[in-house]
C-alpha cells in the first residue's frame, strides 16, 4: 500500500428497520488496493451496510462517495455500473448453466454464437493469473460450494469490478480452500482490486485483511491496521460496551470436562454401505464406528463427503444395502424416523431454515415437530395443545429465547434464538443419542458458547453425541474423538490426545 | 397504567388487527364494484338498481335467503376441496370432477339399494359414506400420481374432471340407470328414503351436514396429529420429512380429505336438490360449482375458517346475479366479472 488513495467513502449512513436502528451514523473508508475486513457479530449491521452499498437496501440518510464523487445507488444495477460487485453467502449463479455461461451471461459478444471461444480464452487467462481453478463446462449445480465461490469471484473480475464485497466467504470453505482463496485475493489486490471482507471470525481478519473495521449494534467501533494489531485488540473493540468476560469467550470457548463413558457403545455402525438413487447424494461405503454414552464423536470432512448422508441414514435407515446400524442392541435398519425418535434419538439438521424449522409456524408448532406422535402430546391422535404450550414456555424460559411469547412466528426471531428453540426441541426428552450437524453455523459467540454448554451438559448425562461439522477448530474444541469422512468413507479416527489440525486437515482432503 | 385502560388498549389493538386484515378485502370490493359499475352503466342499465339486486336479493325475501343457502351448501364443499390441499401448497382443480363423481356414485348406489327398502336413516348414512369415499377416491388418484410419479396435480385433476364429466353422461344415458322418458340425460329418481328431509319445509338437511362438516374440518386441521402434520408439511416439506412426517401419506390423505368434501357436496345435491343425477347438475347460473370453489377458496386465501364466509358471500352474489338477469335483464356474466376482479385485486393487495 504505497499509494493511499481513498477509493470509497460512506458518510453518516443511517438505516432503520421499523423500530430497530440497524445503522447509526456509520462512516467507513476504503483505500484502493486493500483487503478491508468488516468485523462484527451476527446482526451487527455488516450485511445491512454492504447491502446499502450494493443497492439492495436504500439508506435513510448519508452519502456514498466513490472516487471523490457523490453517487446515488438505488439498485444493484447502479452499483454494478460503478464497478461494485458483491458475493453473497450463498451463490447467485444460474445452476443450470455452466461456469462459462454464467460468466458471460449478459455480456456475450454475439447473440448467435454460443461457443464462447474468445470468452473461454479470457477466462482461462484470469484463472491462470489468479490461481482460481474451476471446470468451465460443467453445470454449476454439480459443483461444490467452494468452486461456486471461485466462479463468482472470477465473474466479478471478468466484469471489471473495482470493488468486491465478500459476505462471509468462508462459510462453506475448509481451511485449505480458504488459504488458496486468500492467495488469489492477495494477487487480485496487488492488481488493483479493492476488497471488503465481511466476517464474524477474528482469525480470518488477522489472516486476510490489511485493515479492519469493527461494527457492533449498527455503530462503528473503530478501524484498526491489522499489521500491528492482535486478537486482543479486535476482541476489545468488538466487546467494547458489553459485559461479556472477554477471556471466557476468547478461543477456546469451553473446557471439556472429564467424564466416564459407558462401557457399551450406544450407537454402533458396522460395515455400513448405502445406495441412494438421487444423483447429488454421496453413498457411504463400509463405514464402521461406535459412539459411547457420554462421548462427543466429531465427524470432520469437507462439505459434501457424506456427512449429511451419515446423519440421515441414522434417523431414516431406508437405503442401506449392506451393514447394520445398532442403537444399544436394537438394529435400526428399516425403521421409520418416528420409531427411531421413540428410542430416545433426536436430530438437529445442518440447514436451519430449510430443514429444521417451520418458518411461518409459531414456536409451539416448531417445538412439536418430531414429537407430534409422542403420548405426552397426543391422546388417540387428538393433540394436547396445552401440553405443547407448556413445553414451549419451558423451552423459552430454560433456553433464554428472546421472544414476547410462544405464539411468535419463528422466522421473525434471530438465528441464535431460532437455534435455541431447535435445541430445546431436541432436548425435550432425555436422549440416548443426539445427531447434530453444524449446530453453531453462523451464530455469534455467546450463542455458540451456550450451545456448547448444552451439548456438554448432555454429555455428562451419558448421551452419545454425533457431532458433524465442517469447522475443524470447533470439532477439535468439543470432540472426544474425531472421525474423518472422505468420499463416503470414514478414513481415520483420532482420539483427543492425537488431535492435530494439520494431520486431520490433510486427511480431509484425501491425504 | 391501570388495568382497565390496558384492557381498552388491547381491545383497540384487536380491532386494529381486524381492520388491518379486512382492509385489502374492502378495498378490493370497492374497486371491483366500481369497475363493474362502469361496465353496467356502459351497457345501459341502471347501476344503482343492479347493485341493489345483486347484493340484497338474499335479504329481501325468505325465498331469496333459502335460495342462497341452497347454493351455499355445494359451494362450501367445493371450496374445501380446493382449500384443504392448498394447505400443502397443491392446487386441486379437480373439485368439479370429485363432486360429479360423488353425485354419480350416490345415484348409482341409491338406485341399486332401492329394492332393499332400507330405513331412511340407514340409507342416507350409507349414501353419505358413498359420496365421501367416491370424492376421496378420485382425489386419491391425483394424490398418488403426485406422490409416486411426481405428476403435477393441476394436470391430473383437470384430466380427471373430464373422466368424471363423461362418466356422468354415461350413467345418465345408459340403462338400467337412465330415466327412459326424459328429454335431458338423467337417471331415475333415487328411492324416497334416500331423500334428505326438509327443515321447516324449506331447506334440506344438507345445511346441517355442511355445518357439521365445517366443525369437523376445523377440528381435524387444528386439533389432531394429522392436521398438524398437514400444516407442517405445508409450511416446510423438507423439515417435516426430516422429522419423520411421511410425505407421500400426508399428501395423499390431504387430497382425499379435499376430494371427500367435494364428493359429499355432490352427493347432497343428488339427495337434497335434484333427487336424481342430472347431466350438468353442478352448474349454477351458468357456472360450475367445482370451478367456483377454486375462486372462493382464493378469495379467503385458503383460510379454512374463511371458507364458509367467502362461500356465503359468493352465494349472495350468485343469487343476486340470477335476480338481476330476471328482473333487469343484466347478464349474469357481469357478476362473474365482478367476482373475478375481486379475487384478482385481493391477490394483488395481499402481496
Amino acid at each position: 500500500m504505497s499509494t493511499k488513495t481513498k477509493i470509497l467513502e460512506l458518510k453518516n449512513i443511517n438505516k432503520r428497520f421499523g423500530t430497530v436502528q440497524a445503522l447509526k451514523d456509520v462512516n467507513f473508508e476504503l483505500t484502493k488496493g486493500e483487503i478491508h475486513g468488516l468485523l462484527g457479530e451476527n446482526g451487527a449491521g455488516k450485511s445491512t451496510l454492504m447491502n446499502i452499498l450494493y443497492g439492495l437496501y436504500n439508506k435513510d440518510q448519508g452519502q456514498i462517495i466513490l472516487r471523490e464523487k457523490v453517487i446515488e445507488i438505488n439498485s444493484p444495477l447502479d452499483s454494478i455500473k460503478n464497478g461494485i460487485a458483491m458475493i453473497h453467502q450463498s451463490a447467485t449463479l444460474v445452476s443450470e448453466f455452466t461456469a462459462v455461461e454464467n460468466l458471460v451471461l449478459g455480456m456475450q459478444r454475439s447473440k448467435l454464437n454460443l461457443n464462447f471461444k474468445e470468452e473461454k480464452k479470457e477466462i482461462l487467462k484470469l484463472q491462470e493469473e489468479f490461481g482460481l481453478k474451476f471446470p468451465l463446462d460443467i453445470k454449476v449445480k454439480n459443483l461444490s460450494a467452494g468452486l461456486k465461490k471461485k466462479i463468482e469471484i472470477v465473474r466479478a473480475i471478468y466484469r471489471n469490478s473495482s470493488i468486491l464485497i465478500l459476505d462471509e466467504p468462508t462459510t462453506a470453505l475448509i481451511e485449505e480452500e480458504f488459504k488458496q482463496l486468500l492467495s488469489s485475493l492477495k494477487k487480485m489486490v496487488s492488481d488493483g482490486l479493492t476488497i471488503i471482507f465481511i466476517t464474524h471470525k477474528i482469525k480470518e481478519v488477522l489472516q486476510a485483511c490489511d485493515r479492519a473495521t469493527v461494527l457492533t449494534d449498527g455503530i462503528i467501533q473503530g478501524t484498526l491496521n491489522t499489521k500491528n494489531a492482535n486478537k486482543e485488540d479486535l476482541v476489545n473493540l468488538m466487546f467494547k460496551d458489553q459485559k461479556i468476560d472477554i477471556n471466557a469467550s476468547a478461543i477456546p470457548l469451553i473446557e471439556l470436562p472429564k467424564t466416564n463413558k459407558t462401557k457399551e457403545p450406544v450407537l454402533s455402525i458396522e460395515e455400513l454401505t448405502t445406495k441412494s438413487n438421487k444423483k447429488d447424494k454421496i453413498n457411504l461405503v463400509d463405514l464402521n464406528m461406535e459412539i459411547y454414552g457420554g462421548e462427543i464423536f466429531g465427524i470432520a470432512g469437507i462439505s459434501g463427503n457424506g456427512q449429511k448422508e451419515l446423519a440421515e441414514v441414522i434417523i431414516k435407515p431406508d437405503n442401506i444395502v449392506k451393514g447394520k446400524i445398532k442403537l444399544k442392541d436394537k438394529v435400526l435398519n428399516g425403521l421409520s424416523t418416528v420409531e427411531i425418535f421413540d428410542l430416545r434419538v433426536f436430530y438437529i439438521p445442518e440447514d436451519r431454515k430449510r430443514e429444521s424449522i417451520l418458518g411461518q409456524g409459531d414456536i409451539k408448532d416448531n417445538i412439536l415437530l418430531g414429537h407430534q406422535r409422542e403420548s405426552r402430546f397426543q391422546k388417540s391422535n387428538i393433540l394436547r395443545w396445552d401440553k405443547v404450550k407448556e413445553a414451549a414456555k419451558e423451552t423459552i424460559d430454560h433456553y433464554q429465547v428472546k421472544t414476547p411469547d410462544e405464539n411468535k412466528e419463528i422466522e421473525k426471531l434471530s438465528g441464535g434464538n431460532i437455534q435455541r428453540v431447535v435445541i430445546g426441541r431436541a432436548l425435550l426428552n432425555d436422549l440416548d443419542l443426539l445427531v447434530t450437524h453444524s449446530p453453531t453455523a453462523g451464530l455469534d459467540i455467546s450463542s455458540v458458547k451456550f450451545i456448547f454448554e448444552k451439548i456438554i451438559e448432555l454429555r455428562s448425562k451419558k448421551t452419545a453425541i454425533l457431532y458433524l461439522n465442517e469447522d475443524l477448530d470447533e470439532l477439535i474444541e468439543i470432540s472426544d474423538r474425531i472421525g474423518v469422512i472422505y468420499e463416503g468413507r470414514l478414513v481415520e479416527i483420532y482420539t483427543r490426545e492425537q488431535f492435530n489440525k494439520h494431520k486431520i486437515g490433510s486427511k480431509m482432503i484425501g491425504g | 397504567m391501570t388495568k382497565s385502560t390496558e384492557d381498552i388498549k388491547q381491545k383497540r389493538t384487536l380491532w386494529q388487527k381486524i381492520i388491518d386484515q379486512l382492509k385489502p378485502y374492502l378495498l378490493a370490493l370497492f374497486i371491483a364494484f366500481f369497475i363493474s359499475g362502469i361496465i353496467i352503466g356502459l351497457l345501459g342499465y341502471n347501476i344503482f338498481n343492479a347493485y341493489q339486486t345483486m347484493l340484497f336479493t338474499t335479504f329481501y325475501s325468505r325465498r331469496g335467503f333459502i335460495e342462497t343457502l341452497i347454493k351455499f351448501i355445494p359451494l362450501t364443499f367445493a371450496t374445501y376441496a380446493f382449500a384443504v390441499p392448498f394447505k400443502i401448497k397443491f392446487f386441486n382443480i379437480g373439485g368439479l370432477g370429485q363432486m360429479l363423481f360423488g353425485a354419480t356414485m350416490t345415484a348409482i348406489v341409491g338406485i341399486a339399494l332401492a329394492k332393499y327398502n332400507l330405513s331412511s336413516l340407514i340409507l342416507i348414512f350409507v349414501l353419505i359414506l358413498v359420496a365421501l369415499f367416491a370424492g376421496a377416491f378420485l382425489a386419491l388418484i391425483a394424490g398418488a400420481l403426485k406422490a409416486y410419479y411426481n405428476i403435477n396435480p393441476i394436470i391430473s385433476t383437470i384430466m380427471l374432471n373430464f373422466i368424471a364429466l363423461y362418466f356422468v353422461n354415461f350413467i345418465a344415458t345408459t340403462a338400467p340407470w337412465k330415466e327412459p322418458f326424459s328429454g335431458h340425460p338423467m337417471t331415475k329418481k333415487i328411492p324416497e328414503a334416500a331423500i334428505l328431509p326438509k327443515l321447516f319445509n324449506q331447506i334440506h338437511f344438507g345445511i346441517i351436514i355442511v355445518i357439521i362438516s365445517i366443525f369437523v374440518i376445523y377440528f381435524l386441521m387444528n386439533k389432531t396429529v394429522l392436521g398438524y402434520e398437514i400444516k407442517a408439511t405445508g409450511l416446510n416439506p423438507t423439515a417435516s420429512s426430516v422429522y419423520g412426517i411421511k410425505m407421500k401419506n400426508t399428501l395423499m390423505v390431504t387430497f382425499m380429505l379435499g376430494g371427500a368434501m367435494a364428493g359429499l357436496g355432490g352427493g347432497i345435491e343428488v339427495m337434497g336438490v335434484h333427487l336424481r343425477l342430472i347431466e350438468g347438475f353442478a352448474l349454477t347460473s351458468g357456472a360450475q360449482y367445482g370451478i367456483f370453489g377454486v375462486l372462493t377458496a382464493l378469495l379467503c386465501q385458503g383460510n379454512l375458517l374463511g371458507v364458509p364466509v367467502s362461500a356465503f358471500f359468493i352465494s349472495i352474489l350468485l343469487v343476486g346475479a340470477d335476480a338481476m338477469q330476471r328482473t333487469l335483464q343484466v347478464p349474469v356474466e357481469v357478476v362473474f366479472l365482478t367476482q373475478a376482479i375481486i379475487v384478482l385485486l385481493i391477490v394483488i393487495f395481499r402481496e
Side-chain angles (χ1 to χ4, degrees):
Chain A
M1 283 203 302
S2 48
T3 51
K4 286 202 170 187
T5 38
K6 213 191 292 169
I7 181 164
L8 176 83
E9 194 179 353
L10 301 178
K11 255 191 181 166
N12 293 322
I13 303 284
N14 277 287
K15 177 73 186 173
R16 181 181 272 282
F17 292 113
T19 55
V20 182
Q21 184 81 40
L23 294 173
K24 193 160 183 264
D25 293 329
V26 168
N27 290 302
F28 180 82
E29 270 184 38
L30 201 58
T31 312
K32 188 169 191 302
E34 69 170 344
I35 301 182
H36 193 123
L38 189 56
L39 183 68
E41 294 201 64
N42 295 98
K46 301 170 302 220
S47 296
T48 309
L49 183 63
M50 287 303 119
N51 281 334
I52 286 174
L53 177 57
Y54 189 58
L56 287 172
Y57 294 152
N58 286 329
K59 57 188 186 308
D60 296 341
Q61 258 175 41
Q63 275 184 325
I64 300 173
I65 302 166
L66 184 72
R67 297 192 191 87
E68 294 173 348
K69 261 197 293 190
V70 177
I71 56 165
E72 274 308 316
I73 291 178
N74 295 317
S75 75
L77 218 55
D78 295 338
S79 61
I80 290 166
K81 259 190 248 158
N82 284 302
I84 301 169
M86 180 158 177
I87 295 173
H88 295 89
Q89 254 172 299
S90 47
T92 52
L93 295 166
V94 181
S95 57
E96 284 292 331
F97 276 10
T98 65
V100 174
E101 286 166 340
N102 265 295
L103 285 169
V104 174
L105 186 64
M107 306 196 53
Q108 51 272 59
R109 298 209 176 86
S110 151
K111 291 247 188 287
L112 294 172
N113 180 4
L114 294 178
N115 275 331
F116 304 131
K117 260 193 202 142
E118 296 283 307
E119 288 89 342
K120 262 188 207 168
K121 258 187 229 156
E122 252 175 82
I123 294 165
L124 280 173
K125 220 178 91 192
L126 288 177
Q127 284 195 331
E128 206 60 45
E129 195 174 333
F130 299 115
L132 287 166
K133 292 275 185 207
F134 52 80
L136 293 181
D137 292 316
I138 295 176
K139 280 186 183 176
V140 164
K141 66 174 177 187
N142 297 322
L143 300 178
S144 73
L147 288 174
K148 284 184 197 162
K149 194 71 53 178
K150 289 182 189 169
I151 295 173
E152 291 197 283
I153 292 171
V154 172
R155 177 172 65 180
I157 309 270
Y158 183 71
R159 295 184 174 187
N160 296 320
S161 308
S162 52
I163 297 175
L164 178 61
I165 308 166
L166 292 168
D167 190 1
E168 307 264 1
T170 58
T171 320
L173 305 187
I174 53 143
E175 191 86 20
E176 305 298 318
E177 283 181 301
F178 174 57
K179 279 186 185 149
Q180 252 183 35
L181 182 70
L182 200 57
S183 71
S184 303
L185 292 180
K186 296 231 153 118
K187 276 184 209 151
M188 290 173 185
V189 166
S190 64
D191 211 45
L193 187 74
T194 310
I195 295 174
I196 303 174
F197 191 103
I198 308 178
T199 182
H200 61 268
K201 292 187 186 148
I202 294 172
K203 199 182 69 189
E204 286 176 1
V205 168
L206 292 172
Q207 269 179 303
C209 303
D210 303 310
R211 288 200 300 162
T213 296
V214 176
L215 194 63
T216 58
D217 292 330
I219 300 166
I220 296 278
Q221 300 294 349
T223 301
L224 281 182
N225 216 324
T226 54
K227 291 260 158 50
N228 26 20
N230 59 26
K231 200 159 74 191
E232 290 298 305
D233 298 337
L234 285 166
V235 171
N236 280 330
L237 267 185
M238 270 178 92
F239 294 107
K240 204 153 82 179
D241 11 276
Q242 288 181 31
K243 285 181 201 119
I244 290 180
D245 182 358
I246 291 163
N247 290 325
S249 54
I251 298 166
L253 282 172
I254 43 115
E255 283 282 312
L256 202 56
K258 285 217 179 314
T259 55
N260 296 320
K261 300 194 281 192
T262 53
K263 287 207 179 70
E264 298 295 320
V266 170
L267 178 79
S268 36
I269 295 178
E270 297 163 14
E271 303 279 314
L272 181 69
T273 302
T274 62
K275 188 158 175 54
S276 168
N277 40 16
K278 286 197 188 118
K279 268 190 217 134
D280 56 336
K281 294 262 173 176
I282 300 275
N283 292 322
L284 302 174
V285 186
D286 287 332
L287 199 131
N288 284 296
M289 63 187 279
E290 284 177 338
I291 310 179
Y292 293 82
E295 181 184 40
I296 300 173
F297 193 103
I299 296 284
I302 301 167
S303 166
N305 269 284
Q307 290 95 323
K308 190 183 205 115
E309 289 76 6
L310 175 59
E312 284 180 352
V313 77
I314 294 169
I315 60 146
K316 198 186 265 174
D318 59 357
N319 56 348
I320 297 173
V321 287
K322 204 184 92 194
K324 258 191 233 158
I325 303 175
K326 285 199 306 192
L327 191 75
K328 291 180 174 163
D329 289 325
K330 194 163 170 57
V331 179
L332 301 185
N333 296 27
L335 294 188
S336 73
T337 306
V338 171
E339 286 166 324
I340 288 173
F341 282 1
D342 266 349
L343 300 168
R344 298 159 49 106
V345 176
F346 215 83
Y347 175 42
I348 301 175
E350 177 187 23
D351 191 330
R352 203 155 35 232
K353 285 251 160 72
R354 215 173 68 82
E355 299 174 307
S356 202
I357 59 162
L358 310 172
Q360 283 160 28
D362 60 25
I363 295 177
K364 295 197 302 290
D365 293 328
N366 278 285
I367 285 290
L368 187 58
L369 188 63
H371 296 292
Q372 72 274 12
R373 287 180 185 269
E374 282 169 19
S375 57
R376 66 192 276 203
F377 291 129
Q378 57 100 6
K379 205 171 168 188
S380 39
N381 280 318
I382 313 260
L383 283 173
R384 302 164 73 172
W385 278 111
D386 52 329
K387 300 279 177 203
V388 180
K389 191 175 167 179
E390 231 169 72
K393 277 190 162 160
E394 271 168 32
T395 305
I396 291 169
D397 259 16
H398 187 207
Y399 294 90
Q400 296 147 33
V401 183
K402 276 188 207 129
T403 171
D405 57 33
E406 70 282 357
N407 300 319
K408 182 93 176 164
E409 233 173 75
I410 194 160
E411 67 182 9
K412 301 253 166 83
L413 304 179
S414 73
N417 281 313
I418 293 176
Q419 196 65 348
R420 280 162 198 249
V421 175
V422 169
I423 288 179
R425 167 174 74 198
L427 308 186
L428 214 52
N429 301 324
D430 291 334
L431 293 179
D432 282 339
L433 172 67
L434 175 70
V435 179
T436 172
H437 197 166
S438 306
T440 59
L443 301 183
D444 56 48
I445 290 174
S446 56
S447 296
V448 172
K449 186 163 179 256
F450 180 83
I451 289 167
F452 278 4
E453 281 165 3
K454 286 293 157 196
I455 285 173
I456 288 167
E457 195 183 309
L458 204 60
R459 173 177 174 266
S460 68
K461 290 187 203 155
K462 299 282 177 282
T463 302
I465 296 145
L466 179 62
Y467 196 94
L468 305 113
N469 204 327
E470 275 79 48
D471 185 341
L472 190 53
D473 286 325
E474 198 176 306
L475 280 177
I476 286 178
E477 212 178 323
I478 202 173
S479 307
D480 290 294
R481 287 191 290 160
I482 291 178
V484 178
I485 196 166
Y486 179 71
E487 293 188 344
R489 293 165 195 271
L490 203 61
V491 287
E492 191 73 66
I493 296 176
Y494 298 92
T495 59
R496 200 166 169 86
E497 307 79 62
Q498 301 167 321
F499 285 178
N500 173 315
K501 205 169 157 187
H502 187 74
K503 263 202 291 189
I504 300 177
S506 70
K507 275 282 173 210
M508 282 162 63
I509 52 173
Chain B
M1 201 184 289
T2 62
K3 196 164 184 283
S4 62
T5 53
E6 213 166 69
D7 271 0
I8 291 167
K9 201 183 164 200
Q10 245 173 10
K11 253 180 210 159
R12 201 175 285 156
T13 54
L14 185 71
W15 270 112
Q16 211 104 51
K17 264 185 198 164
I18 292 172
I19 290 169
D20 280 348
Q21 286 276 317
L22 285 179
K23 235 185 231 162
Y25 293 95
L26 296 175
L27 204 60
L29 281 180
F30 186 77
I31 298 177
F33 279 113
F34 183 76
I35 295 172
S36 49
I38 294 174
I39 294 167
I40 293 171
L42 286 176
L43 290 172
Y45 302 103
N46 182 324
I47 301 170
F48 180 73
N49 277 348
Y51 277 150
Q52 206 176 20
T53 317
M54 187 150 81
L55 288 172
F56 299 116
T57 305
T58 300
F59 307 104
Y60 278 155
S61 66
R62 198 188 166 93
R63 226 199 93 172
F65 193 72
I66 302 268
E67 195 61 29
T68 309
L69 288 183
I70 285 173
K71 288 191 178 1
F72 167 75
I73 295 166
L75 193 56
T76 304
F77 284 120
T79 307
Y80 278 128
F82 185 85
V84 173
F86 194 54
K87 283 276 158 222
I88 51 169
K89 310 282 189 291
F90 283 116
F91 283 14
N92 175 19
I93 311 294
L96 172 67
Q98 290 141 19
M99 185 171 253
L100 294 175
F101 196 61
T104 315
M105 291 313 292
T106 304
I108 292 175
V109 175
I111 293 167
L113 292 178
K115 56 187 169 199
Y116 296 108
N117 282 326
L118 294 172
S119 78
S120 190
L121 198 69
I122 293 174
L123 190 56
I124 287 174
F125 183 70
V126 168
L127 289 183
I128 284 177
L129 286 184
V130 166
L132 282 169
F133 278 105
F137 170 75
L138 209 66
L140 173 63
I141 295 177
L145 284 174
K146 172 66 198 171
Y148 291 100
Y149 300 101
N150 198 21
I151 289 167
N152 190 333
I154 297 179
I155 296 166
S156 55
T157 50
I158 289 177
M159 293 302 143
L160 287 164
N161 279 350
F162 285 104
I163 293 176
L165 212 59
Y166 290 114
F167 187 57
V168 172
N169 290 1
F170 169 71
I171 295 297
T173 55
T174 312
W177 303 288
K178 75 164 181 181
E179 178 74 63
F181 304 109
S182 153
H184 188 83
M186 60 172 74
T187 64
K188 295 177 200 157
K189 257 189 153 181
I190 55 171
E192 204 62 35
I195 295 171
L196 292 176
K198 289 237 154 115
L199 303 174
F200 320 114
N201 277 332
Q202 298 271 359
I203 172 84
H204 63 80
F205 192 69
I207 190 71
I208 304 292
I209 301 177
V210 93
I211 289 167
I212 294 171
S213 301
I214 291 167
F215 281 108
V216 168
I217 288 282
Y218 177 77
F219 183 80
L220 212 59
M221 299 301 280
N222 289 294
K223 307 281 177 196
T224 66
V225 174
L226 174 69
Y228 173 76
E229 293 191 340
I230 290 174
K231 181 181 174 188
T233 305
L235 288 174
N236 186 345
T238 313
S240 303
S241 165
V242 164
Y243 284 99
I245 296 173
K246 291 183 176 150
M247 268 316 95
K248 290 178 177 158
N249 292 2
T250 311
L251 199 154
M252 290 190 289
V253 170
T254 312
F255 263 90
M256 282 170 73
L257 213 59
M261 284 295 102
L264 182 57
I268 288 174
E269 281 299 277
V270 167
M271 291 191 284
V273 180
H274 308 290
L275 317 184
R276 61 174 92 229
L277 180 69
I278 303 175
E279 191 263 342
F281 79 93
L283 298 170
T284 175
S285 319
Q288 261 145 355
Y289 281 126
I291 305 302
F292 256 76
V294 178
L295 191 124
T296 317
L298 289 175
L299 192 65
C300 61
Q301 303 282 307
N303 181 331
L304 293 178
L305 278 180
V307 166
V309 179
S310 127
F312 191 72
F313 173 68
I314 295 290
S315 305
I316 292 173
L317 293 189
L318 286 175
V319 169
D322 281 347
M324 214 164 70
Q325 186 162 41
R326 262 193 328 267
T327 58
L328 305 171
Q329 283 82 47
V330 179
V332 285
E333 281 74 12
V334 171
V335 176
F336 299 157
L337 189 85
T338 315
Q339 283 161 353
I341 297 172
I342 294 172
V343 173
L344 204 59
L345 288 172
I346 285 175
V347 175
I348 292 170
F349 288 147
R350 297 207 53 155
E351 289 304 314

